[in-house]
Amino acid sequence: MAYPYRHPSETLVLSQYFGDPEARTLKGWEARGGYQALRKALGMSPGDIVNVVKASGLRGRGGAGFPTGVKWSFMPQASEKPHYLLCNADESEPGTFKDRELIRWTPHALVEGCLLGAYAIRAKHAYIYIRGEFFEPAQILARAIEEAYAAGYAGKDVMGSGHDLDITLHLGAGAYICGEETGLMNSLEGRRGEPRLKPPFPAVSGAFGKPSTINNVETLIAAVHIVQNGADWYKQWGTEKSTGTKLFCVSGHVKRPGNYEVPLGFNFKEFIYDVCGGTPNGKAIKAVIPGGSSVPILTADELDIGMDYEAMAAAGTMLGCGSVIIMDETTDIVKQVRRMVDFYSHESCGQCTPCREGTTWAAKILRRIENGRGQPDDIETLLQISDNMSGKTICVLSDAAAAPITSSIQKFRHEYEARMGAGAPVLAGVR
């Protein structure tokens, strides 16, 4: 299959139909075994489905890595209030582009995952919150939802089971903070997309004040395969604590950018140099961000580690959402960090002072250093601002902005110091 790059080391579970347009249609999806997992799930109790997902070890693929089955088990068992399943399809972390590809090529897999997940948490209604700019994926998904209703996979008395399962596609207006679960709920309710204080947690008081569970696109599609094939089947891949396969989206200075699916625990260095082809023209790698722009940077000599939650944490970074950004030796680290902080400053909702003021202040200092007008105390001031932004706000946006600042100063301080009064930048940037 030609999609756009494939490698023999990949394990294709979630992405096996990428590049296959027939898989987008209901007829094509059914021919590939689609909706059999939902049929199987409807013959099980919700508790049994939760136990299977728990036993599989599946962890949320949106970035936090929280065990999915445990999260589902937090939903109240005897509540008479309506329950809601919320699918977070607001994929806006810089360098992240896996969920939109899952939707683009296998929309029925997500529809099935939402219906299955809703049944497991005793919800009768699932909402898919998709970023408004994802116009093409949203159209594809809307068509799949219509087909699912017409075929009896959604709506009243699904497959004659006696269960009602509805699904609604909701387009956001395009704000990074709406990818945060409580900001998403506020936006879904028609209010400003501002995060809420926790507790109460969504399982107690979520969307519309009712018990809710929020899952990422990749997580819900993985659950379909787990219910269909069993927990042990899924655990054949990965490590003891990081089970299964994972989609990694690769961008930056790399010969073969794109989405790749490998078992968790796959060697990171082999992934970059063999699976992705290394850098164009064979230039040396200077730095890699392994899990999206919000996680600490790794240097080239720190790449011989596993691509799993525990190995990444031991290396001082995070697996995050699996967005790998590669920077070669020509990269201007100060410029790259400034661009990331500019993004977070623009996307801050402004509720919390450390985030609203800290991101703006840090971006101004970084721009000053980038332009060769840095002041003697600027580096220490950046570290102080970052410390005041970390763990002191309602959500983790300010932590996300602080991570590249602190890790880049820790590992590339000499580049900051060299720019003090050094004049215009001479190195390149990653786009």
Side-chain angles (χ1 to χ4, degrees), residues 108-425:
H108 282 284
L110 179 57
V111 172
E112 187 173 7
C114 288
L115 295 170
L116 186 156
Y119 176 70
I121 64 166
R122 297 175 172 82
K124 293 184 178 181
H125 204 136
Y127 288 90
I128 301 175
Y129 186 100
I130 189 169
R131 193 171 180 80
E133 288 94 331
F134 294 171
F135 186 66
E136 184 212 1
Q139 282 189 315
I140 292 170
L141 191 53
R143 194 174 306 122
I145 293 171
E146 289 178 2
E147 289 183 320
Y149 267 97
Y153 294 129
K156 299 290 184 185
D157 190 23
V158 173
M159 297 186 193
S161 65
H163 297 287
D164 301 337
L165 296 171
D166 284 300
I167 187 166
T168 298
L169 180 63
H170 182 98
L171 271 70
Y176 175 80
I177 199 60
C178 289
E180 194 275 342
E181 61 179 11
T182 58
L184 184 154
M185 291 190 297
N186 270 355
S187 177
L188 184 66
E189 294 171 2
R191 295 186 284 153
R192 286 176 64 92
E194 294 177 334
R196 305 174 184 173
L197 282 170
K198 291 184 285 188
F201 292 97
V204 176
S205 180
F208 312 107
K210 305 296 189 295
S212 304
T213 291
I214 301 181
N215 291 125
N216 167 259
V217 171
E218 185 181 355
T219 309
L220 289 166
I221 294 178
V224 171
H225 292 276
I226 291 166
V227 170
Q228 179 65 20
N229 299 291
D232 289 339
W233 170 85
Y234 191 69
K235 290 166 67 176
Q236 71 179 292
W237 299 294
T239 67
E240 181 181 357
K241 294 183 178 179
S242 299
T243 60
T245 64
K246 168 103 186 74
L247 275 170
F248 291 89
C249 34
V250 184
S251 61
H253 295 141
V254 63
K255 189 176 292 182
R256 295 192 291 271
N259 284 296
Y260 297 92
E261 185 175 6
V262 295
L264 286 168
F266 196 90
N267 184 269
F268 198 23
K269 189 173 184 179
E270 181 183 346
F271 178 76
I272 293 172
Y273 286 99
D274 184 17
V275 177
C276 305
T279 61
N281 304 316
K283 291 180 179 176
I285 289 176
K286 175 185 280 188
V288 176
I289 302 175
S293 63
S294 60
V295 309
I297 297 170
L298 295 176
T299 60
D301 58 1
E302 296 177 307
L303 303 180
D304 194 13
I305 57 176
M307 299 171 74
D308 58 84
Y309 297 99
E310 289 71 33
M312 288 287 177
T317 186
M318 298 169 64
L319 187 72
C321 50
S323 304
V324 180
I325 303 172
I326 299 173
M327 294 172 269
D328 73 16
E329 59 189 338
T330 68
T331 303
D332 180 339
I333 293 293
V334 176
K335 179 179 180 180
Q336 289 311 310
V337 173
R338 189 269 302 161
R339 290 175 62 183
M340 284 187 268
V341 177
D342 267 347
F343 169 82
Y344 288 109
S345 175
H346 181 267
E347 296 295 331
S348 172
C349 77
Q351 277 193 109
C352 307
T353 303
C355 181
R356 181 184 66 245
E357 302 296 333
T359 54
T360 304
W361 191 9
K364 286 181 179 178
I365 293 175
L366 285 163
R367 191 178 301 280
R368 190 163 68 209
I369 296 173
E370 178 187 351
N371 291 329
R373 295 182 285 104
Q375 298 174 5
D377 296 333
D378 275 352
I379 295 176
E380 296 310 315
T381 302
L382 281 172
L383 291 172
Q384 290 174 14
I385 293 172
S386 299
D387 181 59
N388 286 321
M389 288 164 57
S390 301
K392 300 177 178 66
T393 52
I394 293 175
C395 77
V396 296
L397 187 146
S398 62
D399 296 66
I405 297 173
T406 53
S407 62
S408 64
I409 292 176
Q410 178 188 6
K411 297 175 181 178
F412 298 96
R413 190 182 185 107
H414 59 284
E415 291 205 18
Y416 282 84
E417 293 173 341
R419 300 296 289 274
M420 295 297 185

Side-chain angles (χ1 to χ4, degrees), residues 91-106:
E91 186 178 47
S92 50
E93 179 94 351
T96 307
F97 46 86
K98 62 181 178 63
D99 290 344
R100 72 197 74 175
E101 283 298 271
L102 285 166
I103 294 171
R104 181 175 285 123
W105 293 109
T106 57

